[in-house]
Amino acid sequence: MSSIRQALLSLLAREPLSGYDIKQRMNNRLGPFWKVGSNQVYPELARMEEEGLVALQGIEQHDYRPARKLYEITEAGREAVIRWTTEPGGADQYRDDFLLKAYNSWLVDPERMIEGIREMKKQHEEKLAAYEAKVAELTSQLAGRSVADPLFSSISVVEFGVRYERLYVEWCEELIAKLSRREPE
Amino acid sequence: MSSIRQALLSLLAREPLSGYDIKQRMNNRLGPFWKVGSNQVYPELARMEEEGLVALQGIEQHDYRPARKLYEITEAGREAVIRWTTEPGGADQYRDDFLLKAYNSWLVDPERMIEGIREMKKQHEEKLAAYEAKVAELTSQLAGRSVADPLFSSISVVEFGVRYERLYVEWCEELIAKLSRREPE
DNA sequence: AACCCCATGTAACTTGTTACATGATTAA
DNA sequence: TTAATCATGTAACAAGTTACATGGGGTT
């Protein structure tokens, strides 16, 4: 059930990682695609170690730095991810504050609203550019890979991101067009 | 900050409603677009009444039924929604469990994965049909409305839903195509 | 001098989910 | 008879957010 547990296991199924690594992948690599705090990562790793889903592979100690605890997934852990991945589940509900703001646009001065939409559009354009770059980067690494390589899965996910951001930007443009048609300066 | 508060106020800005009404609108009308439990609605309404954002308009008593408490938004409440709607905010992070499952698709037997994707696709197709019907229904009510009518805002939001579900279905189709190319029965 | 990076973790707080409780009426 | 609808609400739990704590080394 807990989605964070699944997220951690999904990353560890690919390579051994430390708690810090995991946090970085989630918060930076795929942009704000999935954010977590250290409070969620470290205790969850400890719990999963107790349950035998992950195991401490070793501790790296670089002179002055704090110890780096590398975790690897166990066979039980791998089975758990596979079970979760194949088990049927309902579609998640979509939720976005800005849609609620759009729902209130009738209450607000159109010019003001347009400003806000433009700002939101800009943010999604930036994400779009980042995802597009990521797809290009990953695709260039594709040469000579087996068809069962994790890279194929990664690309599909980032491609979703590209489409999503594209949709968002287009929708913003239409909203702006509708509102300006109504209120010609 | 609290998004439920904003959601309640956004609905009450259009018409007086009871807690039960609000729950219905969120959970049924726009499908699982925004789900809430009674535990969130009723206490939040009480809190907002204390703070003067909403006011009890009256209590309906239909013979045997439990009393129905109708709330209306106050001037302070309306100002609060407008303030929130126009204030700048960062893009929400997108989060969907099924994307994480797709990220794990390399781990899993392609045929099994395809089954799961088909099931997910079906669910999104149903949502798509529901949103499309909703857009048609709302559009037919448009005749003779003022350009500042809440209906225009509603349509924009549901249109987002249509596009989103469309994107999701298309992405599922591509995923299936990619996986079957790899594993011809 | 002030801040960011690495790397671990804890504490306090706010949200959201699931289940329960009441109780009459109506539809399967 | 079983379940659903209306209508309010509470209790217990799970998940997520923000802030804090440590501490040396590097960057501006």
Side-chain angles (χ1 to χ4, degrees), chain A residues 1-4 35-40 64-66:
Chain A
M1 281 285 157
S2 141
S3 48
I4 274 161
K35 284 226 170 173
V36 277
S38 41
N39 49 84
Q40 294 185 274
Y64 58 88
R65 293 253 177 92

Side-chain angles (χ1 to χ4, degrees), chain A residues 101-114:
Chain A
K101 289 188 176 184
Y103 187 74
N104 294 331
S105 57
W106 65 279
L107 264 171
V108 168
D109 169 48
E111 273 183 66
R112 267 250 180 112
M113 194 70 213
I114 288 174

Side-chain angles (χ1 to χ4, degrees), chain A residues 24-42:
Chain A
Q24 294 308 98
R25 311 245 154 178
M26 293 204 171
N27 297 346
N28 306 338
R29 213 135 279 279
L30 287 195
F33 218 32
W34 203 295
K35 284 226 170 173
V36 277
S38 41
N39 49 84
Q40 294 185 274
V41 174
Y42 295 113

